[in-house]
């Protein structure tokens, strides 16, 4: 039996696609939208608390690593018990983390709340969990498109919420802005009600799986294409989190007005609506490995041209628009590839492992950005790393095999 036709989903009842997409997209929009604006707090918090940029960067680095680690377990729990309970817990942790971010008085407390708590919350409220629901509830022929819709919603959240976060900071102060966001993120809990999957409802038989968690993990970790996909996703995390967190400070260092950074982050979100949706649609028609290779190569080209061009508000906006198209457009083809190769029975868990690699890259991107800036007084080294790693990721994704993995009798038949 192929991975795509696993008995875990063979005849399971399904939620309406519109309901899955509306609720899933709204949750991703809130969770990712808030998170994409954290770079706006770097200067207000470090100046108010007397901390270095490395202190702030370390907390955000811990957040990304925590997100990756807890993402694996959030995926396992969502695959076993359904997404609803995981999403509600994630919403509560997110609110507590934002309150802690506002009230922390030491770098250690800031790292525990902004880092560990919010990272764990994001693991339970973003792509791994939502894509698990989409994978189980949307037919394979529409899955890549549906994942593109959800990723586009996350990008629209960035476009919508980053300017709102900037407005809240200016209007109420950085601490009060975080407390307002803590209340807003609790909206994830009622939205999660629309993602209560029939197969996980109380009193119903749990979906049948032909593999245990550990069997699925051993199979994937030994599969060369899975290893290449994880390595490429590491680069994605390094690039986008470095740029998302440190771009405002980079522009401030070059004497550009604060509104240029807010506008640039919003443009990244706006244009990534187009990019992620297009990646999802193209993933139904073209080889996903080629889409990923093109994205990583294009990022390296865009960063190089940005660094070589004179730095003006318009060059920043153009860079933001181009990077926006490429920003989260890796997400739909990456997760669709996991589902296409291994099936959907353990999609949240396997997606969590791939995302863990992404978050190791995120950890290094945001932390090295702050560390090397403090040591050298510039971001030049990290920009260079972002360019070089993009070229490596393009090469790694090209040889990935996309066909569903064969198990049992079909594997023996194929080998004969």
């Amino acid at each position: 039996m192929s991975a795509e036709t696993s008995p875990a989903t063979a005849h399971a009842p399904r939620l309406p696609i519109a309901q899955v997409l509306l609720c899933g997209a709204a949750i991703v929009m809130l969770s990712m939208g808030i998170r994409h604006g954290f770079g706006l707090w770097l200067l207000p918090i470090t100046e108010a608390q007397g901390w270095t940029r490395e202190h702030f960067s370390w907390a955000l680095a811990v957040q990304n690593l925590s997100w990756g680690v807890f993402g694996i377990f959030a995926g396992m729990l969502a695959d076993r018990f359904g997404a609803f309970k995981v999403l509600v817990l994630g919403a509560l942790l997110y609110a507590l983390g934002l309150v802690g971010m506002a009230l922390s008085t030491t770098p250690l407390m800031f790292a525990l709340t902004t880092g560990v708590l919010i990272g764990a919350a994001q693991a339970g409220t973003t792509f791994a969990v939502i894509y698990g629901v989409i994978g189980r509830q949307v037919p394979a022929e529409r899955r890549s498109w549906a994942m593109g819709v959800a990723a586009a919603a996350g990008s629209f959240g960035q476009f919508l919420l980053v300017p709102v976060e900037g407005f809240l900071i200016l209007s109420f102060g950085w601490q009060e802005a975080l407390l307002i966001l803590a209340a807003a993120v609790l909206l994830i809990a009622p939205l999660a009600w629309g993602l209560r999957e029939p197969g996980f409802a109380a009193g119903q038989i749990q979906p049948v799986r032909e593999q245990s968690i550990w069997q699925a993990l051993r199979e994937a970790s030994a599969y060369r294409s899975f290893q290449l996909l994880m390595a490429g996703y590491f680069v994605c995390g390094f690039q986008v989190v470095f740029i998302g967190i440190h771009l405002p400070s980079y522009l401030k260092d070059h004497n550009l007005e604060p509104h240029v950074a807010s506008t640039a982050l919003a443009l990244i979100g706006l244009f990534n609506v187009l990019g992620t949706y297009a990646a999802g649609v193209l993933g139904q028609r073209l080889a996903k490995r080629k889409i990923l290779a093109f994205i990583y190569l294009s990022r390296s080209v865009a960063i190089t041209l940005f660094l070589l061009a004179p730095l003006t508000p318009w060059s920043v906006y153009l860079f933001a628009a181009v990077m926006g198209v490429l920003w989260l457009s890796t997400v739909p083809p990456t997760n669709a590839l996991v589902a296409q190769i291994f099936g959907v029975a353990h999609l949240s868990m396997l997606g969590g492992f791939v995302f863990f690699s992404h978050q190791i890259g995120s950890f290094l991107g945001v932390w090295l950005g702050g560390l090397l800036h403090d040591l050298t007084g510039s971001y030049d080294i990290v920009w260079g790393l972002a360019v070089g790693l993009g070229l490596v990721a393009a090469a790694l994704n090209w040889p990935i095999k996309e066909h569903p993995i064969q198990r049992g009798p079909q594997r023996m038949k194929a080998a004969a």
Side-chain angles (χ1 to χ4, degrees), residues 390-414:
L391 300 176
V392 172
L396 289 174
N397 276 270
W398 193 262
I400 288 174
K401 297 178 181 178
E402 301 193 14
H403 56 76
I405 195 168
Q406 301 297 318
R407 304 187 182 109
Q410 284 203 5
R411 177 183 292 176
M412 295 176 64
K413 182 179 179 180

Side-chain angles (χ1 to χ4, degrees), residues 87-140:
L87 288 166
V88 171
L89 177 61
L92 294 174
L93 290 177
Y94 213 145
L96 287 174
L98 288 167
V99 171
M101 185 175 176
L103 302 181
S104 294
T105 56
T106 66
L108 176 60
M109 188 184 301
F110 189 71
L112 290 174
T113 55
T114 306
V116 178
L117 261 186
I118 295 182
Q122 290 168 341
T125 56
T126 50
F127 293 118
V129 175
I130 298 301
Y131 277 1
V133 179
I134 290 174
R136 290 185 290 268
Q137 300 298 319
V138 177

Side-chain angles (χ1 to χ4, degrees), residues 38-49:
F38 282 160
L40 299 177
W41 272 270
L42 190 155
L43 292 178
I45 288 179
T46 54
E47 290 173 358
Q49 303 286 22

Side-chain angles (χ1 to χ4, degrees), residues 26-38:
I27 290 169
V28 173
M29 183 175 69
L30 266 173
S31 183
M32 293 296 291
I34 291 172
R35 181 252 183 186
H36 277 305
F38 282 160

Side-chain angles (χ1 to χ4, degrees), residues 68-94:
V69 172
F70 283 102
I72 296 170
F73 299 101
M76 290 180 180
L77 291 173
D79 286 334
R80 177 65 180 84
F81 300 106
F84 172 69
K85 295 177 181 179
V86 176
L87 288 166
V88 171
L89 177 61
L92 294 174
L93 290 177
Y94 213 145

Side-chain angles (χ1 to χ4, degrees), residues 23 35 60 64 127 134 139 163 224 253 292 355 357 362 364 388:
C23 294
R35 181 252 183 186
L60 270 292
N64 283 283
F127 293 118
I134 290 174
R224 182 63 173 170
D253 290 344
L292 289 169
F355 192 68
S357 177
S362 300
L364 290 174

